Amino acid sequence: MGKSGADLGVVAGLVRASFLVNAVYAESAREYGLTMQQGQLLCVLMARPYGMGDLGATLGLEKSSLTGLVDRAVRRGLVRREPDPDDRRAVHVVLTGEGHELAEDFYAATCRRVDELAAGLSTPDRDRLAALLGTVVRENQAPTVFLDALQP
């Protein structure tokens, strides 16, 4: 029926790898008292504040879902809405001090866990995998929902 891990095709390999990464992401989120979407929100906002439109596009959420997500994060004290300096009708979503600390901790723990998925690869294989995945991500214009791991 299926191929063994050593001879997976591209489709099966990417799909199965996404399941592995999602499971790690979900485990980290639970450990930090977050949903996966809240974890994504915090990680996205680590890079910079976002307007609601750009944030919805980046996270792939409809306006009502994004509003609920941001509202819950505001109630938890993780983010705040600030007026957009260029448009009085719009707001930017910004991490609070508490949100920034949680985002950094969650991000670091998740990076460690995801990195462990490739622990069995040699350095050249890891570098090749990173280059290939980078090409796939760039060619498909994947949104930046997770920054590159911080180097020690």
Side-chain angles (χ1 to χ4, degrees):
M1 170 139 146
K3 295 181 177 183
S4 69
D7 58 357
L8 284 178
V10 171
V11 172
L14 285 172
V15 169
R16 290 174 69 179
S18 74
F19 273 84
L20 286 172
V21 171
N22 281 336
V24 166
Y25 207 85
E27 181 181 335
S28 286
R30 277 191 304 275
E31 180 179 306
Y32 285 88
L34 300 168
T35 65
M36 285 180 59
Q37 284 187 326
Q38 288 170 334
Q40 288 175 335
L41 174 67
L42 296 180
C43 289
V44 166
L45 293 175
M46 285 178 68
R48 64 178 175 83
Y50 274 76
M52 291 292 281
D54 289 340
L55 191 55
T58 299
L59 293 173
L61 295 174
E62 297 295 324
K63 186 177 179 180
S64 61
S65 297
L66 178 64
T67 299
L69 177 63
V70 171
D71 286 347
R72 289 185 295 280
V74 166
R75 284 194 298 273
R76 285 191 61 183
L78 302 175
V79 301
R80 67 180 178 275
R81 290 179 173 97
E82 293 183 350
D84 183 326
D86 300 323
D87 183 351
R88 296 185 327 203
R89 300 165 295 158
V91 297
H92 282 156
V93 181
V94 181
L95 289 173
T96 62
E98 180 182 346
H100 186 73
E101 285 181 32
L102 180 59
E104 284 185 341
D105 290 347
F106 169 75
Y107 174 81
T110 305
C111 283
R112 280 190 301 276
R113 288 179 169 141
V114 171
D115 190 57
E116 289 171 6
L117 294 174
L121 297 178
S122 66
T123 299
D125 283 346
R126 289 171 66 90
D127 292 345
R128 185 165 180 237
L129 177 61
L132 292 169
L133 290 171
T135 299
V136 170
V137 166
R138 277 189 308 281
E139 287 182 356
N140 290 280
Q141 300 175 353
T144 304
V145 294
F146 210 80
L147 302 171
D148 288 333
L150 303 173
Q151 300 302 315

